[in-house]
Amino acid sequence: MAFPWLREPWLQLIASAKAGRLAHAYYLQHNVEAGSTEFIHRLQQFLLCNQPGKSACGKCKSCLLYQSGNHPDTWTIDGAEVNRIGVDSVRELQKNVMQTANQGGLKVAVILRAEKMTEQAGNAVLKVLEEPPADTHWLVSTADAERLLPTLRSRMQWLSVSYPTTVQNDEQISSAKELLAGLRGHNGLPLLKDKEAALDWLDISENLLLDWLLMSQDIAINRLRYQPLADDLRQVSRFKWVSVAELSGWVSECRQLRQRFQGSTGINLPLLLSFAWSRWADSLLR
Ligand SMILES: [Zn+2]
């Protein structure tokens, strides 16, 4: 999963799938730049795949059909292309969904930008979801969940994704800049006075690493949390090679530190975080 914030929702869905507890319908915040459509397509293929592991296998007949855009058991209404989604297109979808799966597996209906559905269209979807066929899943994205019928929302499971938001706080941005320079050996690493300060720095570290991760993969670079650091991060991604796996590992390290700290008062967070920083700085010196 290229977008770090989609990893957790993905793993949760896979776990539900393995446990046979998938909901009939999921909906999530539409955010193309941050990967919402890619996420839906990935899930669509996963559900159709004949032998899925942690994602679709990419090799089975279903996957090949899907990749060629010819899978007979999946349908998409893309609201991005139209002013509104009328009841006719939903009825068409409804008709397809009611038929037996051509490939004998699951059927998947997708609606992107579902907030553009007319009330009539929304009611038509609701009707299917009130008595959902067992072998059918609905994947829905919406730019504005409030504009979906409440009754429809109550029939679907909300997939919560914490998309990045750009940080506007100048103090935090200059702290992030200081930390990055410290990791690169341009100045000393920040001093961690106490637990509270260390917790703030932990958030800054995680945000900075997530930005770095995006920059090193050349994705969504207009979505950085610390947008003013884009140039510095670009430089660091270009000249100091740190692998995506390593950066992801450091992000998990931040999260684990936070969890350990929350779970126990005896953790010396300032010390542990400064150790982590020193190790990261060492890797940059290699
Ligand atoms: Zn497959």
Side-chain angles (χ1 to χ4, degrees), residues 49-51 56-60 63:
C49 175
N50 297 329
Q51 43 193 28
C57 76
K59 294 175 202 140
C60 70
C63 280

Side-chain angles (χ1 to χ4, degrees), residues 96-163:
N96 287 323
V97 162
M98 292 304 174
Q99 284 165 8
T100 315
N102 179 295
Q103 293 294 305
L106 295 171
K107 291 168 288 180
V108 185
V110 171
I111 303 179
L112 304 174
R113 298 290 309 265
E115 79 284 357
K116 290 192 184 177
M117 284 193 294
T118 61
E119 194 174 337
Q120 231 184 340
N123 274 317
V125 176
L126 180 61
K127 209 169 230 172
V128 190
L129 288 181
E130 276 168 349
E131 285 173 57
D135 56 351
T136 304
H137 291 282
W138 292 72
L139 309 177
V140 171
S141 78
T142 174
D144 184 359
E146 296 290 314
R147 278 171 60 195
L148 298 181
L149 297 171
T151 39
L152 180 57
R153 286 206 306 255
S154 72
R155 294 276 167 184
M156 304 191 288
Q157 194 165 317
W158 174 248
L159 272 176
S160 167
V161 180
S162 31
Y163 293 115

Side-chain angles (χ1 to χ4, degrees), residues 176-186 207-218 221 224 226 229-244 246-247 250 280-281 283-286:
K177 206 173 170 78
E178 182 190 345
L179 174 58
L180 184 61
L183 293 173
R184 298 171 75 185
H186 293 181
N207 283 341
L208 181 69
L209 291 171
L210 286 168
D211 278 358
W212 190 341
L213 201 52
L214 290 183
M215 197 53 110
S216 64
Q217 296 175 93
D218 269 333
I221 47 181
L224 299 182
Y226 299 134
L229 266 67
D231 285 339
D232 301 83
L233 284 167
R234 189 171 294 117
Q235 267 190 10
V236 101
S237 310
R238 203 169 294 159
F239 298 115
K240 306 261 185 176
W241 175 247
V242 183
S243 71
V244 167
E246 199 166 9
L247 281 170
W250 296 351
W280 303 345
S283 318
L284 285 176
L285 286 175
R286 281 187 314 237

Side-chain angles (χ1 to χ4, degrees), residues 27-53:
Y27 70 126
L28 81 165
Q29 182 66 38
H30 185 83
N31 191 336
V32 176
E33 285 177 346
S36 65
T37 303
E38 188 184 311
F39 187 84
I40 285 189
H41 287 157
R42 215 177 136 134
L43 185 54
Q44 193 178 8
Q45 187 180 352
F46 173 83
L47 293 169
L48 294 167
C49 175
N50 297 329
Q51 43 193 28

Side-chain angles (χ1 to χ4, degrees), residues 77-87 89 112-119 121 143 147:
I77 296 177
D78 189 352
E81 296 162 2
V82 293
N83 287 330
R84 59 190 193 101
I85 301 174
V87 71
S89 50
L112 304 174
R113 298 290 309 265
E115 79 284 357
K116 290 192 184 177
M117 284 193 294
T118 61
E119 194 174 337
R147 278 171 60 195

